[in-house]
Structures are given as structure tokens and as C-alpha cells.
């Protein structure tokens, strides 16, 4: 699961970088907004994936702890 998320994150980040470069090179209308959006993706996507993974790990540990208490 982690590997799939990491690979998909890398693909999205590379696509975002390509979009930024194309917007910068080819004087696209709204280039500044495209650049800001792509930059936000480059910062927020890894953070969101990390938060999702950490939440999953926490809930998994909590679920295991609850199951152990039920079995006693």
C-alpha cells in the first residue's frame, strides 16, 4: 500500500513539475495561478499522504489494542 501511494505521489509530482515548466516556458494565460497551484500540489500532496498513512497506522494499533482487550 505504501509503495503504491509513493509511486502515485511521484507520478503526480512529476506531472506537476512538467505543468509548471510548460506554463513558465510557453507564456500561458494565468501562468502565475498555474505555478501557484502546481507548487501547492508539490507541498501539500506529500503532507496529505503522510497524514493519511499515520492515521491508518494509529487506527490499526488502536484496533489491535481493542481486540486484545476483548479477548481477555
Amino acid at each position: 500500500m505504501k509503495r503504491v501511494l509513493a509511486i502515485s505521489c511521484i507520478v503526480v509530482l512529476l506531472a506537476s513539475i512538467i505543468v509548471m515548466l510548460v506554463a513558465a516556458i510557453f507564456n500561458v494565460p494565468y501562468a502565475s495561478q498555474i505555478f501557484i497551484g502546481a507548487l501547492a500540489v508539490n507541498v501539500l500532496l506529500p503532507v496529505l499522504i503522510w497524514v493519511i498513512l499515520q492515521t491508518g497506522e494509529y487506527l490499526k494499533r488502536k484496533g489491535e489494542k481493542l481486540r486484545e482487550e476483548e479477548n481477555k
Side-chain angles (χ1 to χ4, degrees):
M1 179 70 170
K2 289 181 183 180
R3 186 172 291 169
V4 172
L5 282 174
I7 291 171
S8 63
C9 183
I10 290 170
V11 169
V12 170
L13 291 176
L14 289 175
S16 175
I17 291 170
I18 291 169
V19 166
M20 280 195 304
L21 288 174
V22 168
I25 293 172
F26 293 114
N27 197 12
V28 177
Y30 305 109
S32 63
Q33 286 88 357
I34 293 171
F35 181 79
I36 291 171
L39 187 61
V41 167
N42 283 329
V43 173
L44 295 177
L45 184 67
V47 172
L48 288 174
I49 289 176
W50 179 81
V51 167
I52 290 169
L53 288 174
Q54 293 301 316
T55 303
E57 292 284 329
Y58 171 76
L59 292 175
K60 182 179 175 183
R61 280 185 268 130
K62 187 162 181 108
E64 289 173 355
K65 193 180 287 187
L66 287 173
R67 276 188 231 108
E68 286 177 5
E69 289 177 2
E70 286 179 358
N71 291 334
K72 288 184 181 180

